Amino acid sequence: MKVTLEGITKVFPPHSKKESPVTAVSNFNLEIPDGKLVALLGPSGCGKSTLLNMICGLEAPTSGSVFFDENDVTKLPPEKRGVGMVFQNYALYPHMSARKNILFPLGNLKGKAKLTKEEKNKRMLDAARIVQIENLLERKPGNMSGGQQQRVAIARALVKYPGILLLDEPLSNLDARLRLETREEIRRIQKNTGITTVFVTHDQEEAMSISDIIVLMKKGVFQQSGKPQDVYDNPANLFVAKFLGTPAINVFKGRIEGGKVYIGDEAVSDVPGCGDREVFIGIRPEGFIPDKNGPLTCDFRSIDVLGRDYMIVAAHGEAEAPVIRAIVDSENKIEENPEKVRFSFKKNKFFVFDAKTEERIYVG
Ligand code: ATP
């Protein structure tokens, strides 16, 4: 099922006279293609959960419309939308076995949708098989690990054959190892079922590693969407560039004068076609090349060996952060403990952003 959001805005009224209304989502337009795994990504409070709740019908938009394929579902209640929802805290019934938890949503189907006992059991077993918990069906949630409980929650969402699966921070209650395992699991389940899936996360690595498409938002406003690698390689603005990647992109203050961009006194690159202005320069850690004749000079701090690569930690007066991090191939030799280290840059790893709008104006 394709999902289209057209000009969605959500304003929460103030809770008291002292508060102002909160615009959680602002004029949001998005098309989520059928059968894809899409991550809604952004910092805490940027409106991700509110947007997800408007897709499933738990919140009504203040303005704008939600379409499933060509059908306007904006005014439909959640139970009529055919969506499966999985929350961060699983929300399983503690006194029921996994089997009963999974069967539960089938109990209140009415009319034509009503199922026989055999049909219900078959659906329950199919869902349990997809998430690989057939051998745990008699256990209650309290006797299962967080990852197993999350699988039961996903099975419970799948059992109604939803057209869309919505997951709100499904991994945040799990420890690091289980997070990794469970995210692969979600990817596998999504691939096997082909259900259009939207999941909310503030973890860029999680989003980048399993999604077909990532959608970045900031303060309720759409920033950019696309395949993870494309967005990483072509950030539309400084926010997106900073949000994706570990270690984070290195950001410097600078200016453009006469077709060249300067960091401090050094002209670090030609920027053909860009007018004079104040800018930010973003350089990915893997975009630095140690180079005795390179255009950017930094104060050397230390070297961290990472195995195949190493990380040069350095500092620069115009850098936003106290240190900059350059990840370079161990074949690049630099002298031991130099005072200064100079860099040139790899292609497509060097970005220039307008200081006022923070829009990207150049890729080097
Ligand atoms: P997190 O990652 O922390 O869950 P989020 O990106 O999902 O954050 P939302 O929960 O959608 O963000 O919240 C977006 C904004 O809307 C926040 O400023 C939040 O305080 C506000 N908000 C959310 N729900 C309500 C509500 N029922 N009443 C008033 N304000 C709300």
Side-chain angles (χ1 to χ4, degrees):
M1 186 123 63
K2 179 177 86 176
V3 180
T4 309
L5 307 178
E6 254 181 36
I8 293 280
T9 294
K10 177 70 184 181
V11 182
F12 288 108
H15 289 286
S16 70
K17 279 189 183 152
K18 285 188 191 147
E19 282 184 22
S20 330
V22 177
T23 304
V25 177
S26 183
N27 191 21
F28 209 96
N29 295 295
L30 182 68
E31 195 172 298
I32 297 171
D34 180 39
K36 298 289 183 203
L37 178 56
V38 176
L40 280 180
L41 182 60
S44 181
C46 74
K48 305 179 295 290
S49 299
T50 305
L51 195 61
L52 202 72
N53 289 342
M54 290 192 283
I55 298 175
C56 85
L58 287 173
E59 295 279 3
T62 311
S63 56
S65 307
V66 181
F67 293 87
F68 289 177
D69 287 336
E70 307 315 320
N71 306 317
D72 187 341
V73 299
T74 318
K75 297 212 157 65
L76 280 188
E79 63 276 13
K80 298 229 166 112
R81 292 195 186 192
V83 294
M85 185 92 186
V86 179
F87 297 95
Q88 174 177 342
N89 55 8
Y90 326 130
L92 297 175
Y93 298 106
H95 58 286
M96 288 185 191
S97 63
R99 175 191 298 277
K100 287 200 171 141
N101 264 289
I102 301 171
L103 279 170
F104 189 81
L106 301 180
N108 39 28
L109 294 179
K110 300 208 172 68
K112 270 198 215 146
K114 205 166 185 317
L115 299 173
T116 64
K117 204 171 168 197
E118 288 70 37
E119 285 166 331
K120 284 184 200 171
N121 264 324
K122 182 175 178 313
R123 283 211 196 181
M124 183 275 299
L125 283 174
D126 284 348
R129 213 166 288 132
I130 291 171
V131 301
Q132 297 180 343
I133 49 153
E134 306 104 293
N135 54 345
L136 299 173
L137 285 171
E138 305 319 322
R139 283 215 206 152
K140 289 190 178 151
N143 302 326
M144 293 178 161
S145 73
Q148 290 166 341
Q149 290 181 50
Q150 192 56 292
R151 289 176 194 215
V152 177
I154 296 173
R156 191 178 57 175
L158 291 175
V159 82
K160 276 170 83 174
Y161 294 167
I164 302 162
L165 186 60
L166 303 172
L167 309 165
D168 193 351
E169 299 261 4
L171 308 176
S172 51
N173 283 356
L174 307 180
D175 67 32
R177 192 181 53 84
L178 259 181
R179 265 185 101 101
L180 229 93
E181 266 177 42
T182 314
R183 83 184 189 199
E184 295 307 325
E185 189 68 1
I186 290 177
R187 175 78 226 175
R188 185 188 63 77
I189 294 166
Q190 194 277 333
K191 276 224 159 111
N192 287 353
T193 56
I195 296 181
T196 309
T197 302
V198 185
F199 86 102
V200 158
T201 178
H202 57 266
D203 181 335
Q204 58 94 23
E205 201 204 319
E206 192 166 287
M208 298 270 288
S209 63
I210 63 166
S211 328
D212 296 308
I213 295 169
I214 53 173
V215 178
L216 280 107
M217 57 192 295
K218 175 190 171 189
K219 295 185 182 159
V221 179
F222 173 89
Q223 301 291 306
Q224 189 171 2
S225 70
K227 288 185 190 160
Q229 192 66 47
D230 291 350
V231 179
Y232 181 82
D233 290 340
N234 285 298
N237 59 39
L238 186 60
F239 168 82
V240 173
K242 282 166 123 174
F243 205 81
L244 300 181
T246 30
I249 195 164
N250 300 284
V251 178
F252 301 82
K253 270 198 220 127
R255 66 194 186 285
I256 295 177
E257 269 173 37
K260 289 184 187 303
V261 62
Y262 289 82
I263 298 178
D265 296 336
E266 293 177 312
V268 292
S269 173
D270 289 340
V271 280
C274 300
D276 291 1
R277 69 188 96 180
E278 300 293 309
V279 294
F280 291 109
I281 297 109
I283 307 169
R284 293 269 180 220
E286 69 277 19
F288 289 98
I289 306 167
D291 177 354
K292 269 190 282 188
N293 304 312
L296 179 68
T297 312
C298 299
D299 298 322
F300 177 83
R301 290 282 186 267
S302 65
I303 283 190
D304 297 346
V305 178
L306 308 173
R308 193 167 57 86
D309 303 320
Y310 62 91
M311 182 155 71
I312 302 174
V313 182
H316 192 289
E318 298 303 320
E320 251 187 10
V323 292
I324 61 163
R325 293 187 167 84
I327 295 178
V328 300
D329 198 291
S330 55
E331 281 168 15
N332 288 286
K333 297 287 174 238
I334 67 163
E335 62 175 292
E336 232 174 88
N337 287 322
E339 210 171 288
K340 302 277 180 191
V341 55
R342 295 180 71 162
F343 295 107
S344 51
F345 317 109
K346 286 189 189 155
K347 272 210 121 1
N348 301 324
K349 298 288 178 186
F350 178 100
F351 306 102
V352 182
F353 305 92
D354 184 289
K356 279 205 195 90
T357 64
E358 300 195 352
E359 297 294 313
R360 193 192 73 208
I361 54 174
Y362 185 78
V363 185

